[in-house]
Amino acid sequence: MRFPLVEVALPAWIDAVVSDPAAVYPDLDAQMAFAIELARRNVAAGTGGPFGAAIFDMHTGRLVAPGVNRVMAANCSVAHAEITAIMIAQKILGTWDLGGEGLAPLRLVTSTEPCAMCLGAVVWSGVRQLVCGARDADARRIGFDEGPKPAEWVAALESRGIAVIQDVQRQDAAAVLALYLDQGALYTTPGRRNGPVGRVP
């Protein structure tokens, strides 16, 4: 084929964080702490933006798939943490529909509320619940462009049978965003690339 194979790989350090592929995270706090740790590691290792996400079995708390922001590493503008977690979960489970018949209900836990693009991905993924740490406003405050999200996005998801829980460990999640800014944040939105927030037009 004359077109390249497109791959979005997780960073090498992920194996150290997920040493047990059958790990169980028993509650929302444990699951959010894991997503935040992914975001923190991504910043510390310089492997992507300050966003982590993971998909869990809602009944057992078993980790299905982790995800982190890989936009710059993969040269792929859609490689956000939520989307990488969704893609990996679908690959592991062998289905494009994470809410398909015979599957346990799945929860997407993300260190920051989804941007406009990831919001659409959540709708089509098949997950039954979305749990968020930092708010959209926290990401915008340090210079990220979250896109044209509808004001009533929570109600829109819930009308489709996707429950939403916000502000789980929000302070800890927002602290990772602040860490990214302190370390010389790079932005991948067109017009905002490669400069700390103070230099962005």
Side-chain angles (χ1 to χ4, degrees), residues 25-148:
Y25 299 79
D27 54 35
L28 290 185
D29 279 330
Q31 293 169 14
M32 181 57 73
F34 175 76
I36 293 171
E37 180 59 19
L38 292 178
R40 185 180 295 111
R41 290 279 189 120
N42 215 30
V43 173
T47 49
F51 305 102
I55 292 178
F56 297 92
D57 182 314
M58 289 179 63
H59 290 329
T60 67
R62 180 180 64 87
L63 173 66
V64 176
V68 293
N69 179 286
R70 296 292 282 162
V71 170
M72 291 184 184
N75 287 323
C76 180
S77 62
V78 301
H80 288 197
E82 298 94 329
I83 290 178
T84 60
I86 289 167
M87 291 169 62
I88 291 167
Q90 290 171 339
K91 189 74 170 180
I92 288 171
L93 297 175
T95 179
W96 52 268
D97 182 4
L98 297 179
E101 187 175 349
L103 292 177
L106 299 179
R107 166 186 295 138
L108 173 60
V109 178
T110 181
S111 64
T112 302
E113 288 178 357
C115 68
M117 175 182 69
C118 293
L119 188 61
V122 170
V123 170
W124 303 125
S125 69
V127 298
R128 299 273 49 96
Q129 190 176 71
L130 172 68
V131 180
C132 309
R135 288 262 182 159
D136 177 287
D138 298 322
R140 291 182 192 270
R141 189 173 298 116
I142 72 156
F144 279 98
D145 180 354
E146 297 297 276

Side-chain angles (χ1 to χ4, degrees), residues 126-196:
V127 298
R128 299 273 49 96
Q129 190 176 71
L130 172 68
V131 180
C132 309
R135 288 262 182 159
D136 177 287
D138 298 322
R140 291 182 192 270
R141 189 173 298 116
I142 72 156
F144 279 98
D145 180 354
E146 297 297 276
K149 288 169 61 176
E152 303 302 321
W153 67 270
V154 172
L157 289 187
E158 292 183 339
S159 73
R160 291 174 171 266
I162 304 170
V164 178
I165 300 174
Q166 296 172 286
D167 298 333
V168 177
Q169 298 185 29
R170 179 180 178 181
Q171 185 173 355
D172 290 343
V176 178
L177 299 175
L179 175 65
Y180 187 67
L181 181 61
D182 289 344
Q183 293 190 0
L186 299 178
Y187 298 95
T188 53
T189 304
R192 300 193 133 215
R193 291 191 179 98
N194 299 329

